[in-house]
Amino acid sequence: MLRKTYDWMLGIAARPSAPYALGAVSFAESSFFPVPPDVMLVPMALARPKRAWFYAALCTVTSVAGGLLGYAIGALLYDSVGKWLFQLYGLEAGAEAFRAAYAQYGAWIILLKGFTPIPYKLVTITSGFAGYDLLAFTILSLITRGARFALVAALLGRYGDIIRGILDRHLGAVAALLVVFVIGGFAAIKFLY
């Protein structure tokens, strides 16, 4: 099943609608969706290496736009939607500690957590919940998300053939590693807060 999904993603990259799907996933991941856009970004960039930087830029813009929705959820709807999302991810106990950390380290939290496998939606919602400056949040999000996706594009541009070979031979192991990173991101949030 995993191989069929990977092959399907490679096939999607040739379709005119592929960037729209990638943008939608990137947008949703920054505010409520649990799957990172890398699941689509990597196969699409491997299938069309000359468009890797375009895909990275698309992910950056749509991720920041989705982050603004996450910010709005935290600022305007935390008591309903925001709490529900934190409960869904099992992180409601750490929300207050996270908000307190924002008072002292807000910029560093956005920059570091936006670049790591820690779910970015938690950063966006908490930024709104903590009342972090919206302009600063937007600029820091552009920096951190842009750097993250640019790193993926640079690696795929330089080592795309090697990465594709590894994926072709060891797709199951790579997928398992991705799952470990995502779960590790959630675990890190629970452990830290």
Side-chain angles (χ1 to χ4, degrees), residues 11-191:
I12 281 183
R15 295 183 185 169
S17 62
Y20 298 108
L22 178 61
V25 169
S26 181
F27 178 89
E29 184 269 339
S30 293
S31 49
F32 60 88
F33 193 59
V35 179
D38 306 78
V39 172
M40 289 187 72
L41 174 61
V42 171
M44 287 175 64
L46 288 174
R48 298 182 75 187
K50 291 182 179 177
R51 295 192 46 103
W53 288 101
F54 167 74
Y55 294 146
L58 176 66
C59 281
T60 299
V61 170
T62 55
S63 179
V64 172
L68 292 172
L69 174 60
Y71 185 99
I73 289 170
L76 305 172
L77 302 171
Y78 182 77
D79 289 333
S80 56
V81 178
K83 277 187 180 177
W84 175 77
L85 284 169
F86 272 69
Q87 288 172 348
L88 180 69
Y89 295 115
L91 300 168
E92 68 277 2
E96 281 302 323
F98 204 47
R99 179 162 68 165
Y102 258 76
Q104 192 170 13
Y105 306 109
W108 289 109
I109 289 171
I110 294 169
L111 287 172
L112 294 174
K113 295 187 187 302
F115 195 77
T116 66
I118 291 172
Y120 187 58
K121 71 195 74 24
L122 303 177
V123 172
T124 67
I125 293 169
T126 305
S127 293
F129 170 62
Y132 195 77
D133 181 72
L134 182 60
L135 179 60
F137 167 78
T138 304
I139 292 168
L140 293 168
S141 292
L142 281 167
I143 292 167
T144 192
R145 299 309 270 178
R148 181 181 185 283
F149 296 124
L151 177 63
V152 171
L155 289 172
L156 292 172
R158 175 133 177 127
Y159 303 107
D161 292 335
I162 295 168
I163 292 169
R164 187 170 186 161
I166 290 169
L167 287 174
D168 287 343
R169 287 188 306 276
H170 308 289
L171 183 60
V174 172
L177 189 60
L178 177 62
V179 168
V180 167
F181 275 121
V182 170
I183 292 171
F186 281 106
I189 285 285
K190 281 187 143 186
F191 177 74

